[in-house]
């Protein structure tokens, strides 16, 4: 009998809880939670897909998931460990040597590879009759297309690579591991690893680079790296630190993290206010139930049933809505994402569940625990309930989870700390602005609106903080996306140079430039190339000045390229000092930081066995990825202009001008032409993927934010129902109340819009300058767009709610 009563009681609790959700005040909480789950599922799923695509693209350009590079032969135990971990392995040896044909010779970059190379990426080798191969077999020799003309050979001819004579199997049509440094690029040839000993090119003291390529699970790759202590000549290469694409991918991943965090923050603000409203609206109900004999235990079960049903419904419908949103968001990306998209697994749903619980439990739990302490006497007279400390431990759950998940992400912590301070400042600034408005003379509606804001100071400040803070986060999401894309497109514009000409003799320089100009080819200025070393800083040996941890800098151990110029390149940004006409040298920013060089320091160089001294006149910022000639050190002409030099320039060739490029190669056989068109196309494709992906993600973030702001405004209007009913009872007309509402929310929207613009500028400035380390800029448009957007959201909220608020009294 007791079991029957218990079952009947549970059924009643279940039905009543359902009625509370769908007919009571819980539906705004369900809606807010559903929206949170949907946004997190959609954003997380798309972010995981996009991140995997970007990572795959970066790894394609490395030929593997992970690369180990060393100046010494690959340690056998490392290869054995990799096999034990289930990784696929391929070994490569690189060196430079002379290639000899019967007619000519040429310095080439030899890559001896295994048949399994590459583990990732496109490797197309075109042989006799156009037959395409994708791997190098023993005895084969594959050469760059321009070597056919430089060495005057054809397919089937014999070439000497060191001591080995190999038959030319064909040309290299496409290869991964494309380099972006024109000074380190020379024609490539591929041979099989088994033919390497035959060349006899690797001797004691030879400059050789050994690489091991690994493919496999991320956990196994990480374990392999942790198990090997790097020596001074060794380095791990991944998509996060390799070449031009590394910075692109790193910043894009940071943006994905920030977007998700900002949407979660907006959702948290909305949910907290929604839950507070629900708890305050149920005070009378709980008091009435207590007066009728309901125990605290029964009330706890009643509320717990509602919360459980609410979470279940929000997770179910939010997940389904999130999947639909993710599908819609992929539509604009169909043309640039691969046909077979990587999966996202269960992580988006786990993330959405955790976010909903970690935000929802404190947001609901704290006010509901306080609600249980409501006295039965509150049915007759409102009672002040002392805040309960029993539920405040719940607030530590999201903080602890945030610390565990984002503990090492300094950028996210920078944003979170800044936002917490800004939310307080935004609320205070908005309220102060409204207080100033109160001192002016206004009409009856505006005066009543401002008076109402002043009377409910705490509520008004919370609403202003939520509205201006949410507007600010929406703006930050969009402005960050815009600033990042502008920087990336500047770094590699669509019209960037795609060919470098090196080793131009002084006697050829004018004629070569005239030929380019006569054919209307857009080119850079020509620069002299003179090799040398930095030897002293302020009279002290450079290796004695540099700290121990920076002794492995490349600039200390090899000759680098110097040049001279009458003026600094216009595409280099002057950071400190000023260019002088004589006895000066300008230093690139990163080298100056690594070597501790400042303006005014005296530097000594060894150039062509001569000692040259110069005073640092300026420090420059250089965009190395701009496909323009750039240098670590630029001298004034009086110091090195008379030294022997070759010349370098870059220019852009279109598809229609390829015959001209080939003619230049024939007319000037000693000039090295480095064609970067394939590199540029690959990076432009990757950039397009990132641009569109971030645009769609930013769009979702903005839409999510706007929906949450709309929910906030609707919630605020719903809370006014009792107050408006009182005004109507005291004789206020529908018109006066309507005008007051429009005035109150209109002035709040405009004030919040302007204050949000200030906050957004500060956050974006900080993130761009110190987080992404780019040059910040001012966004004048948001000072007009944000107040207008806030006003439009208020308009939409009032239009949708005002009829219900002003319904006739019965």
């Amino acid at each position: 009998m007791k079991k029957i009563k218990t079952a009947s009681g549970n059924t009643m609790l279940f039905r009543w809880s359902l009625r509370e959700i769908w007919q009571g005040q819980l539906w705004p909480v369900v809606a807010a939670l559903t929206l949170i789950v949907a946004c997190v599922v959609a954003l997380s799923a798309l972010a995981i897909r996009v991140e995997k695509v970007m990572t795959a693209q970066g790894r394609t350009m490395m030929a593997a998931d992970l690369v180990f590079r060393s100046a010494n032969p690959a340690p056998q135990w490392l290869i054995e460990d990799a096999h034990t971990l289930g990784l696929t392995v391929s070994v490569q040896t690189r060196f430079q040597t002379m290639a000899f044909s019967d007619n000519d010779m040429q310095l080439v970059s030899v890559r001896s590879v295994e048949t399994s190379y590459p583990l990732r990426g496109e490797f197309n080798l075109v042989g006799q009759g156009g037959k395409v191969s994708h791997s190098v077999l023993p005895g084969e020799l594959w050469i760059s297309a321009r070597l056919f003309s430089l060495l005057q050979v054809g397919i089937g001819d014999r070439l000497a690579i060191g001591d080995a004579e190999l038959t030319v199997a064909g040309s290299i049509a496409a290869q991964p591991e494309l380099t972006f440094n024109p000074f380190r690029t020379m024609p490539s040839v591929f041979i099989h690893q088994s033919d390497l000993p035959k060349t006899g090119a690797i001797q004691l003291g030879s400059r050789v680079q050994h690489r091991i390529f690994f493919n496999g699970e991320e956990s196994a790759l990480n374990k392999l790296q942790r198990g090997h202590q790097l020596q001074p000549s060794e380095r791990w290469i991944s998509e996060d630190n390799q070449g031009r694409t590394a910075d692109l991918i790193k910043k894009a991943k940071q943006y994905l993290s920030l977007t998700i965090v900002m949407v979660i923050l907006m959702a948290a603000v909305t949910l907290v206010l929604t839950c507070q409203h629900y708890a305050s609206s149920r005070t009378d109900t709980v008091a009435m139930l207590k007066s009728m004999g309901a125990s605290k235990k029964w009330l706890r079960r009643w509320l717990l049933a509602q919360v459980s049903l609410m979470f279940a419904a929000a997770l179910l419908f939010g997940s389904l809505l999130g999947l639909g949103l993710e599908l819609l968001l992929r539509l604009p990306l169909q043309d640039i994402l691969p046909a077979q998209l990587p999966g996202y697994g269960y992580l988006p749903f786990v993330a959405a569940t955790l976010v909903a619980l970690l935000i929802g439990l404190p947001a609901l739990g704290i006010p509901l625990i306080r609600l249980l302490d409501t006295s039965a006497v509150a049915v007759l007279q409102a009672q002040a309930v002392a805040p309960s400390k029993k539920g405040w431990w719940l607030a530590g759950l999201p903080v602890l989870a945030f610390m565990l998940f984002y503990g090492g992400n300094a950028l996210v912590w920078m944003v979170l700390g800044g936002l917490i301070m800004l939310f307080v400042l935004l609320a205070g600034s908005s309220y102060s602005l409204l207080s100033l408005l109160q001192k002016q003379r206004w009409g009856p509606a505006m005066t009543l609106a401002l008076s109402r804001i002043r009377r409910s100071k705490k509520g008004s400040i919370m609403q202003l903080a939520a509205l201006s803070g949410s507007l600010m986060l929406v703006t930050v999401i969009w402005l960050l996306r815009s600033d990042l894309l502008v920087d990336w497109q500047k770094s590699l514009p669509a019209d960037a140079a795609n060919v470098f000409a090196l080793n131009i003799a002084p006697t050829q320089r004018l004629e070569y430039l005239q030929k380019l100009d006569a054919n209307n080819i857009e080119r850079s200025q020509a620069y002299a190339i003179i090799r040398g070393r930095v030897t002293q800083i302020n009279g002290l040996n450079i290796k004695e000045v540099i700290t121990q941890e920076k002794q492995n800098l490349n600039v200390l151990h090899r000759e680098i390229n110097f040049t001279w110029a009458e003026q600094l390149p216009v595409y280099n940004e002057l950071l400190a000092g000023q260019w002088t006409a004589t006895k000066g040298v300008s230093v690139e920013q990163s080298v100056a930081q690594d070597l501790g060089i400042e303006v005014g320091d005296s530097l000594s160089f060894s150039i062509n066995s001569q000692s040259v001294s110069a005073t640092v006149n300026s420090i420059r910022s250089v965009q190395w990825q701009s496909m323009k000639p750039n240098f670590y050190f630029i001298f004034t002409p009086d110091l090195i202009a008379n030294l022997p030099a070759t010349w370098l320039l870059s220019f852009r060739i279109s598809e229609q001008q390829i015959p001209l490029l080939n003619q230049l190669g024939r007319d000037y056989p000693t000039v090295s032409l480095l064609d970067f068109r394939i590199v540029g196309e690959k990076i432009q494709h990757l950039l397009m993927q990132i641009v569109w992906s971030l645009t769609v993600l930013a769009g979702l973030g903005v839409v999510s934010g706007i929906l949450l702001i709309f929910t906030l405004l609707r919630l605020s209007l719903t809370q006014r129902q009792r107050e408006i009913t009182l005004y109507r009872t005291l004789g206020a007309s529908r018109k006066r109340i309507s005008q007051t509402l429009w005035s109150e929310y209109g002035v709040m929207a405009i004030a919040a819009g302007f204050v949000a613009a200030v906050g957004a500028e500060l956050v974006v400035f900080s993130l761009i300058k110190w987080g992404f380390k780019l040059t910040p800029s001012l966004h004048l448009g948001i000072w007009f767009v944000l107040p207008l957007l806030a006003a439009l959201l208020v308009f939409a909220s009032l239009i949708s709610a005002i009829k219900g608020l002003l319904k006739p009294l019965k």
Side-chain angles (χ1 to χ4, degrees), residues 190-470:
F190 280 86
I191 64 173
H192 195 268
Q193 189 77 2
S194 62
D195 295 320
L196 178 61
K198 302 175 187 176
T199 66
I202 299 179
Q203 303 294 333
L204 188 65
S206 298
R207 294 188 65 181
V208 184
Q209 186 183 108
H210 301 270
R211 293 192 174 203
I212 313 176
F213 301 90
F214 304 98
N215 258 26
E217 294 294 327
E218 198 70 33
S219 58
L221 294 172
N222 293 333
K223 188 173 181 179
L224 184 70
Q225 293 178 78
R226 289 194 300 268
H228 179 69
Q229 184 70 36
L230 288 178
Q231 302 303 312
S233 62
E234 297 174 347
R235 182 188 175 197
W236 290 108
I237 301 173
S238 68
E239 75 279 0
D240 291 328
N241 62 13
Q242 170 60 13
R244 179 191 305 270
T245 58
D247 189 56
L248 264 176
I249 294 171
K250 182 180 178 182
K251 286 187 169 71
K253 288 180 178 179
Q254 287 177 329
Y255 180 81
L256 295 180
S257 297
L258 284 176
T259 301
I260 293 173
V261 168
M262 289 181 189
V263 170
I264 290 173
L265 284 175
M266 286 186 284
V269 171
T270 305
L271 188 60
V272 167
L273 293 179
T274 306
C275 293
Q276 284 183 346
H277 169 62
Y278 168 72
S280 63
S281 69
R282 308 321 284 163
T283 302
D284 292 345
T285 304
V286 171
M288 180 191 68
L289 290 171
K290 281 192 172 184
S291 68
M292 295 173 65
S295 67
K296 201 170 186 178
K297 181 180 178 181
W298 187 91
L299 287 170
R300 189 179 293 111
R301 285 177 57 206
W302 175 59
L303 292 173
L304 186 61
Q306 293 180 33
V307 170
S308 301
L309 282 172
M310 180 187 63
F311 270 104
L315 290 173
L316 175 62
F317 294 112
S319 297
L320 294 174
L321 182 59
L323 290 176
L325 274 175
E326 194 271 338
L327 183 63
L328 288 174
L329 289 169
R330 277 194 280 121
L331 293 179
L333 305 177
Q334 281 184 334
D335 294 335
I336 58 171
L337 290 178
Q340 293 294 327
L341 282 174
Y344 47 74
Y346 56 84
L347 284 179
F349 305 101
V350 172
T353 303
L354 287 175
V355 168
L357 290 174
L358 289 171
I359 296 175
L361 287 178
L364 268 171
I366 294 172
L368 289 183
I369 289 173
R370 184 179 178 182
L371 184 63
L372 288 172
D373 293 330
T374 302
S375 170
V377 182
V379 174
L380 303 174
Q381 184 178 3
Q383 301 287 313
V385 180
S388 173
K389 296 181 180 180
K390 289 182 287 186
W392 282 104
W393 63 270
L394 290 170
L397 292 178
V399 176
L400 181 62
F402 198 87
M403 289 175 67
L404 289 173
F405 193 77
Y406 288 108
N409 195 325
L411 192 62
V412 170
W413 281 106
M414 181 194 300
V415 173
L416 185 64
L419 289 178
I420 290 173
M421 290 188 293
L422 273 173
F423 265 105
V424 177
L425 291 173
L426 289 174
S429 301
S430 302
Y431 192 80
S432 299
L433 184 60
L434 293 177
S435 298
L436 288 174
L437 291 175
Q438 289 177 357
K439 297 179 180 179
Q440 309 299 318
R441 294 182 64 85
W442 303 98
M446 178 63 80
T447 302
L448 187 59
L450 293 173
S451 174
R452 197 266 172 192
I453 293 172
R454 186 179 66 251
R455 287 197 313 274
S456 55
K457 184 176 180 180
K458 181 180 177 182
S460 298
I461 287 177
M462 288 187 66
Q463 285 182 8
L464 285 166
L467 181 56
S468 55
S470 298

Side-chain angles (χ1 to χ4, degrees), residues 26 69 82 100 154 250 304 352 378 423 432 489 615 677 715 733 738 746 771 802:
L26 259 181
R69 189 183 75 187
F100 296 90
K250 182 180 178 182
L304 186 61
F423 265 105
S432 299
Q489 289 163 345
T615 301
R677 283 176 297 155
L715 175 64
S733 66
S738 176
I802 202 164

Side-chain angles (χ1 to χ4, degrees), residues 616-671:
V616 178
N617 58 23
S618 58
I619 307 292
R620 293 168 291 116
S621 172
V622 173
Q623 292 285 343
W624 293 104
Q625 66 271 37
S626 62
M627 299 298 283
K628 296 175 182 177
N630 281 305
F631 302 88
Y632 287 122
F633 297 90
I634 300 179
F635 292 81
T636 52
D638 60 302
L639 293 176
I640 63 172
N642 294 326
L643 297 177
T646 58
W647 291 78
L648 157 80
L649 76 152
S650 66
F651 53 91
R652 180 167 184 80
I653 286 288
S654 64
E655 290 295 323
Q656 295 75 23
Q657 293 172 319
I658 292 176
L660 174 61
L661 183 64
N662 296 332
Q663 187 62 44
L664 284 171
R666 289 189 290 268
D667 292 345
Y668 302 92
T670 59
V671 175

Side-chain angles (χ1 to χ4, degrees), residues 726-745:
L726 177 62
Y727 286 159
R728 294 293 307 279
T729 304
L730 296 174
S733 66
R734 286 168 55 92
K735 182 179 179 181
R736 175 55 55 82
I737 294 174
S738 176
Q739 289 175 344
T740 303
L741 285 174
W742 282 108
S743 299
E744 179 184 342
Y745 282 90

Side-chain angles (χ1 to χ4, degrees), residues 782-801:
I782 65 169
W783 296 84
F784 302 97
V785 172
L786 281 186
L788 180 61
L789 175 62
L792 288 174
L793 287 170
V794 164
F795 178 79
S797 303
L798 277 173
I799 285 293
S800 63

